[in-house]
Amino acid sequence: MIKLGLLGFGTVGTGVYTVLKNNKESIRRKVGTELEIKRILVNDLEKKRSVDISRDLLTDNVEDIINDPEIDLVVELIGGEEPAYTYIKRAINNKKSIVTANKLVIARYEEELLELARKNGVSISFEGSVAGGIPIIRPLKESFAANKIEKIYGILNGTTNYILSKMTAEELEFDEVLKEAQKLGYAESDPVSDISGADAAYKITILSSIAYETIVDIEDVYVEGVKGIEAEDIKNADELGYVIKLLAISKNTGKGLDIRVHPAFVSKAHPLALVNDVYNAIYLHGDAVGDVMLYGKGAGQMPTASSVVADIIQTAKEIFYKSPDLNNNNTIISHKIIDISEVYNSFYIRLQVVDKPGVLAKIAKVFGDNQVSLSSVIQKVHLEPAVPIVLVTHQVKESNLKRSINEIKALDDVIGVKNIIRVEEI
Amino acid sequence: MIKLGLLGFGTVGTGVYTVLKNNKESIRRKVGTELEIKRILVNDLEKKRSVDISRDLLTDNVEDIINDPEIDLVVELIGGEEPAYTYIKRAINNKKSIVTANKLVIARYEEELLELARKNGVSISFEGSVAGGIPIIRPLKESFAANKIEKIYGILNGTTNYILSKMTAEELEFDEVLKEAQKLGYAESDPVSDISGADAAYKITILSSIAYETIVDIEDVYVEGVKGIEAEDIKNADELGYVIKLLAISKNTGKGLDIRVHPAFVSKAHPLALVNDVYNAIYLHGDAVGDVMLYGKGAGQMPTASSVVADIIQTAKEIFYKSPDLNNNNTIISHKIIDISEVYNSFYIRLQVVDKPGVLAKIAKVFGDNQVSLSSVIQKVHLEPAVPIVLVTHQVKESNLKRSINEIKALDDVIGVKNIIRVEEI
């Protein structure tokens, strides 16, 4: 028998408890021995729970778990940096293997924790930290191990994907959909981490570190959220043959790593365009496997529990058969990070200009002077003195684009640059 | 250093050699030691090869590999039942771990070979045997281990998917597209295993055995190929909101296993409808993870090599760290197999009838008498005395449908039943 301690008993913790109970027999067969949850750390011992659980299992003292020599495996589901990070370190130092779904702790401290685990002869697994139920951490370490991973495109945040899908399907504005999403529980009451792109940035940091055998500093990831997307941009995208998605992008260009999170135009013909609502997907390109897409529910109680319990099963097998962790590769390859200003992209640009002859010529001249060539220009029908103009550029260096935009903003007849969105040709 | 022997040096063998060479350094880091191909079994020592390879590596004597005590890992890429099956067994008995992409040997002998490997303390891995570069064997054993797998829908044969996609996109007939596919190398000169559904049947047999911890006898899998599909059926499907795909289906209904391969109507709104050309996909439903789809290239030199080398890396790690194979679960759960006659489906039926009043009423009566209710009836415009009629039924037991069809065939004014295709509501 292998005894587990759970740190945290919120949504995912309750899901893990439920999966371990519902599929107890099949999990016992796969591990080779029974798994028993010995103790669960909670904040409030008296709180009413959605599952029927013995009061004796609960504790509000973390020492009951990380100092219990009978517990071999600690499952951290508290989330956030502290106290999760400290608890994980203390548990590893007490020779306990770790399973966690904590993207923040893994994105910031993966290497330190892997090193600590190696030193203590235990393992740390974190499939649940990225893309909920979709297997991606283990596939990157095992199934795609033969490949040089060249590109990863992820739709990694369910909340923003739900919002953008809904804005697209029902032609609504951002704030309306956000409010509805919060009512339905698809968005947090404080959704800033989702909407700002920070959540997706943690996840692409983790995937990049594994894919390129490196350590990516999250500060090096360029991040732009979805707050500025308007219904008009989505409509323009549609007319041009695209949908707008919050993409987490990671490329090993051979000259450095290009890692970023931002809204992007994605061709309607690409499989990622069809990843809607709270679904997530990871589309990657490896030198041998070519293009692969993994698609599923990127969050939620049971999908995340599926990944956490998969890690529990693999870890328990290693403990039971006294096998070392075969995936704790201690190589760190150093890669240059390419600054966003150096990256080439096509851009969608939406302007408001005064309805006067010659305005478009002035704008076109600024772009031309900055080596920005345009692939399409649409002057929209207008109902007011201001005319909306939609431009799409060819591939252009971000710094050249930025310089053009600053010059265009300064033109007399330009009322405003309403939005700039990268067009990602996947 | 870990030394490998390759059995077979055709398309996939050459791909494996290339991947091991191109990504040598990163593979060495991941395994912890270097991998060396010591010997390669070929039929013809003098044959010109597409890769630059030392003549000393080649042998036409299998004993040079399976009797070489320095070789720990044998990679079988001959394909077909014999001599591959015998070589694998002999290598296992000589304490060598096996990596193979042989769907036929695995579908027929998986349990025997796993048992033999257990007895000899070695492992047998076969990611490359199903869906080329898409990881599915290892994910089923590891990533989805926490789930009760309830349904698997696979597009598992690239050749037929290419043909059906092309027929759909260009409104062509089967034979024309087949000929073109053969010219382009997307179909074998003898394509019977693909077209008959046999290839997909081997693969769904393997997936079902793993998903349900059982042994599925391939003879119990109902198989129907794509040869009867006409451009007219594809057009009708399109009008009704569907595409036609060769689906490999496996369901654990709770009352038994329902496993079959046949052409099916798939709603255009479903992600599987967008899996075109030589791409494959596996769409599965687990009780915790919900719906997941894995998508990628289902065949070809490099995608298959990606999976084979992934298995080589994992096996080499196990050998290097003296870890047992943690995925060789020896449980065999016995399941009832549901006969196709007992399965409920909707059906698309295309008839030719004589253009006379009352024909449709007679047909409808036969269906009604057999408890088959219709969800739509389309009488097509006709240019000859024969009128095409397209019917779609509600969910109905296959045996009732079959009985109705036999009675309808016997009706005076029915010229023929041109096609019957199941409608799969995924």
Side-chain angles (χ1 to χ4, degrees):
Chain A
M1 179 182 292
I2 288 169
K3 297 194 179 185
L4 323 179
L6 259 62
L7 308 180
F9 202 54
T11 307
V12 176
T14 309
V16 167
Y17 176 85
T18 305
V19 170
L20 285 172
K21 197 173 143 194
N22 289 353
N23 294 336
K24 191 182 180 71
E25 270 314 296
S26 118
I27 291 169
R28 188 191 53 69
R29 289 193 299 268
K30 287 169 188 169
V31 174
T33 186
E34 197 174 330
L35 301 186
E36 186 195 296
I37 296 177
K38 194 178 174 198
R39 243 30 215 291
I40 302 174
L41 178 71
V42 296
N43 270 328
D44 177 359
L45 292 169
E46 307 309 326
K47 188 175 159 184
K48 203 147 164 55
R49 307 281 161 186
S50 61
V51 291
D52 191 25
I53 190 164
S54 154
R55 173 69 179 70
D56 298 344
L57 272 184
L58 306 180
T59 174
D60 55 7
N61 182 359
V62 71
E63 309 301 329
D64 289 345
I65 292 173
I66 54 185
N67 283 326
D68 183 339
E70 279 194 355
I71 290 177
D72 284 316
L73 175 46
V74 171
V75 184
E76 185 278 307
L77 301 166
I78 304 169
E81 186 158 338
E82 286 294 358
Y85 170 57
T86 301
Y87 291 170
I88 289 173
K89 280 206 295 189
R90 289 192 52 209
I92 294 175
N93 279 321
N94 285 350
K95 315 281 186 218
K96 297 180 194 318
S97 282
I98 304 289
V99 170
T100 175
N102 193 319
K103 57 184 175 277
L104 197 151
V105 165
I106 297 300
R108 292 211 179 132
Y109 305 108
E110 181 187 347
E111 193 45 37
E112 180 198 346
L113 295 175
L114 283 171
E115 179 58 37
L116 195 64
R118 266 192 297 274
K119 267 197 352 211
N120 283 279
V122 296
S123 70
I124 172 162
S125 309
F126 41 88
E127 186 65 77
S129 66
V130 179
I134 306 173
I136 182 61
I137 305 287
R138 207 171 284 278
L140 274 178
K141 291 187 172 187
E142 299 180 356
S143 306
F144 302 125
N147 289 264
K148 176 169 181 293
I149 302 294
E150 292 165 356
K151 291 175 194 168
I152 304 173
Y153 298 95
I155 295 177
L156 298 177
N157 182 270
T159 303
T160 49
N161 201 47
Y162 173 83
I163 292 173
L164 292 173
S165 304
K166 195 90 177 168
M167 285 175 75
T168 307
E170 301 181 13
E171 302 186 13
L172 298 171
E173 289 294 352
F174 185 85
D175 288 334
E176 299 172 70
V177 180
L178 173 59
K179 264 180 220 147
E180 201 200 316
Q182 286 173 318
K183 228 186 292 170
L184 291 168
Y186 294 158
E188 311 268 338
S189 55
D190 176 11
V192 65
S193 164
D194 297 310
I195 287 169
S196 68
D199 175 81
Y202 286 124
K203 294 168 179 170
I204 197 71
T205 298
I206 296 172
L207 297 185
S208 303
S209 296
I210 297 171
Y212 313 132
E213 301 175 79
T214 190
I215 307 171
V216 174
D217 183 342
I218 191 159
E219 303 301 323
D220 286 335
V221 179
Y222 175 81
V223 186
E224 214 182 283
V226 296
K227 221 173 156 31
I229 308 289
E230 295 180 17
E232 203 177 329
D233 298 310
I234 289 177
K235 215 170 133 221
N236 290 336
D238 181 62
E239 283 169 23
L240 291 158
Y242 296 90
V243 293
I244 301 178
K245 294 289 181 192
L246 180 68
L247 283 191
I249 299 168
S250 180
K251 301 183 190 177
N252 186 357
T253 66
K255 292 177 183 165
L257 304 181
D258 166 20
I259 312 178
R260 47 201 158 97
V261 173
H262 55 68
F265 276 37
V266 174
S267 163
K268 283 185 208 170
H270 195 276
L272 282 176
L274 297 151
V275 177
N276 286 320
D277 304 324
V278 296
Y279 279 85
N280 278 14
I282 295 128
Y283 192 92
L284 61 83
H285 184 90
D287 65 343
V289 73
D291 292 328
V292 175
M293 185 168 90
L294 311 174
Y295 163 97
K297 284 193 180 138
Q301 179 176 56
M302 297 305 277
T304 307
S306 168
S307 287
V308 170
V309 177
D311 276 348
I312 292 174
I313 292 171
Q314 282 306 111
T315 308
K317 284 197 254 182
E318 287 167 13
I319 295 170
F320 187 63
Y321 291 103
K322 301 192 192 340
S323 162
D325 175 8
L326 302 180
N327 289 333
N328 193 343
N329 171 15
N330 65 356
T331 315
I332 299 162
I333 308 285
S334 133
H335 290 274
K336 177 175 171 286
I337 300 283
I338 301 175
D339 190 80
I340 186 77
S341 64
E342 301 292 313
V343 173
Y344 282 75
N345 269 305
S346 296
F347 290 84
Y348 152 93
I349 303 154
R350 178 161 63 90
L351 305 169
Q352 290 275 47
V353 302
V354 178
D355 189 9
K356 264 207 225 166
V359 179
L360 194 55
K362 282 189 212 166
I363 292 168
K365 183 171 184 306
V366 171
F367 280 124
D369 290 348
N370 286 289
Q371 285 83 49
V372 176
S373 77
L374 301 173
S375 71
S376 74
V377 177
I378 305 171
Q379 183 151 340
K380 308 287 285 188
V381 179
H382 59 290
L383 303 164
E384 351 161 23
V387 190
I389 293 183
V390 169
L391 306 160
V392 181
T393 74
H394 284 295
Q395 290 274 317
V396 46
K397 200 175 174 182
E398 179 119 357
S399 54
N400 289 10
L401 192 277
K402 282 283 158 67
R403 202 174 329 113
S404 322
I405 294 293
N406 286 335
E407 291 175 25
I408 284 164
K409 275 182 185 164
L411 292 176
D412 272 354
D413 299 325
V414 172
I415 299 166
V417 176
K418 306 303 275 186
N419 218 339
I420 303 174
I421 303 172
R422 292 170 192 83
V423 178
E424 196 65 36
E425 301 298 350
I426 304 175
Chain B
M1 178 181 294
I2 288 171
K3 297 195 180 183
L4 323 180
L6 259 61
L7 308 180
F9 203 52
T11 307
V12 176
T14 309
V16 167
Y17 176 85
T18 306
V19 170
L20 285 172
K21 198 173 144 195
N22 288 355
N23 294 335
K24 193 182 177 69
E25 270 314 296
S26 118
I27 290 169
R28 188 191 52 69
R29 289 193 298 268
K30 287 169 187 169
V31 174
T33 187
E34 198 174 329
L35 300 186
E36 186 196 297
I37 296 178
K38 193 179 174 199
R39 242 32 214 292
I40 302 175
L41 178 70
V42 296
N43 270 328
D44 177 359
L45 292 169
E46 307 309 327
K47 188 173 161 186
K48 204 149 165 53
R49 307 280 161 187
S50 61
V51 291
D52 190 26
I53 189 162
S54 156
R55 172 70 179 69
D56 299 343
L57 272 183
L58 306 181
T59 174
D60 55 6
N61 181 1
V62 71
E63 307 304 327
D64 289 346
I65 292 172
I66 55 183
N67 283 327
D68 183 339
E70 278 195 355
I71 291 176
D72 284 318
L73 175 47
V74 171
V75 184
E76 186 278 306
L77 300 166
I78 304 170
E81 184 158 339
E82 285 296 355
Y85 170 58
T86 301
Y87 291 170
I88 290 173
K89 280 204 297 189
R90 290 191 52 210
I92 294 175
N93 279 322
N94 286 351
K95 316 280 185 215
K96 298 183 194 314
S97 282
I98 304 290
V99 170
T100 176
N102 193 318
K103 57 184 175 277
L104 197 151
V105 165
I106 296 301
R108 292 211 180 131
Y109 306 108
E110 180 187 347
E111 193 45 36
E112 181 198 347
L113 295 174
L114 282 171
E115 179 59 37
L116 195 64
R118 265 192 298 272
K119 266 197 354 212
N120 283 280
V122 296
S123 71
I124 172 162
S125 309
F126 42 87
E127 186 65 76
S129 67
V130 179
I134 307 173
I136 182 60
I137 306 286
R138 207 171 284 278
L140 273 178
K141 291 187 173 186
E142 299 180 355
S143 305
F144 302 124
N147 288 264
K148 177 171 181 288
I149 303 293
E150 291 165 357
K151 290 175 194 169
I152 303 173
Y153 298 95
I155 295 177
L156 297 178
N157 182 269
T159 303
T160 49
N161 201 48
Y162 174 82
I163 293 174
L164 292 172
S165 303
K166 195 91 176 168
M167 286 175 73
T168 306
E170 302 180 13
E171 302 187 12
L172 298 171
E173 288 295 351
F174 184 85
D175 288 334
E176 301 172 69
V177 180
L178 173 59
K179 263 179 221 150
E180 201 201 315
Q182 285 172 321
K183 228 186 292 173
L184 290 168
Y186 293 159
E188 310 269 339
S189 55
D190 176 10
V192 64
S193 164
D194 296 312
I195 287 168
S196 67
D199 174 82
Y202 286 123
K203 294 167 179 171
I204 197 72
T205 297
I206 296 172
L207 297 186
S208 303
S209 295
I210 297 170
Y212 313 132
E213 300 174 80
T214 190
I215 308 172
V216 174
D217 183 342
I218 191 160
E219 303 301 325
D220 286 336
V221 178
Y222 174 81
V223 186
E224 214 182 283
V226 296
K227 219 169 158 32
I229 308 290
E230 296 180 16
E232 202 177 328
D233 298 311
I234 289 177
K235 216 171 132 222
N236 290 335
D238 181 63
E239 283 169 23
L240 290 159
Y242 296 90
V243 293
I244 301 179
K245 294 287 181 193
L246 180 67
L247 284 189
I249 298 167
S250 181
K251 300 183 190 178
N252 186 356
T253 66
K255 290 176 183 163
L257 304 182
D258 167 18
I259 311 179
R260 46 200 158 96
V261 173
H262 56 68
F265 275 38
V266 174
S267 163
K268 283 186 209 171
H270 195 275
L272 282 176
L274 297 151
V275 177
N276 286 320
D277 304 324
V278 295
Y279 279 86
N280 278 15
I282 294 129
Y283 193 93
L284 62 82
H285 185 91
D287 64 343
V289 74
D291 292 329
V292 175
M293 186 168 89
L294 311 175
Y295 164 97
K297 284 193 181 139
Q301 180 176 54
M302 298 304 276
T304 307
S306 167
S307 287
V308 170
V309 177
D311 275 349
I312 292 174
I313 292 172
Q314 281 306 112
T315 307
K317 283 197 253 182
E318 287 167 12
I319 295 169
F320 187 63
Y321 291 103
K322 300 189 190 345
S323 160
D325 175 10
L326 302 180
N327 289 333
N328 194 342
N329 170 17
N330 65 356
T331 315
I332 299 163
I333 308 285
S334 133
H335 290 273
K336 179 176 171 286
I337 299 284
I338 301 174
D339 189 80
I340 187 76
S341 63
E342 301 292 312
V343 173
Y344 282 75
N345 269 306
S346 296
F347 290 84
Y348 153 92
I349 302 154
R350 177 160 64 90
L351 305 170
Q352 291 274 50
V353 302
V354 178
D355 189 9
K356 264 207 228 164
V359 180
L360 194 55
K362 282 189 212 164
I363 292 167
K365 184 172 182 305
V366 171
F367 281 125
D369 290 348
N370 286 290
Q371 285 82 52
V372 176
S373 77
L374 300 173
S375 72
S376 74
V377 178
I378 306 171
Q379 185 151 338
K380 310 286 284 188
V381 180
H382 60 290
L383 303 165
E384 350 161 25
V387 191
I389 294 183
V390 169
L391 306 160
V392 180
T393 74
H394 284 295
Q395 290 275 316
V396 46
K397 200 177 175 180
E398 179 118 356
S399 54
N400 289 9
L401 191 278
K402 281 284 159 65
R403 201 175 327 115
S404 321
I405 294 293
N406 287 335
E407 292 175 25
I408 284 165
K409 278 181 181 163
L411 292 176
D412 274 353
D413 300 325
V414 171
I415 300 165
V417 177
K418 307 302 274 185
N419 219 339
I420 303 173
I421 302 172
R422 292 170 192 83
V423 179
E424 195 65 37
E425 301 297 352
I426 305 174

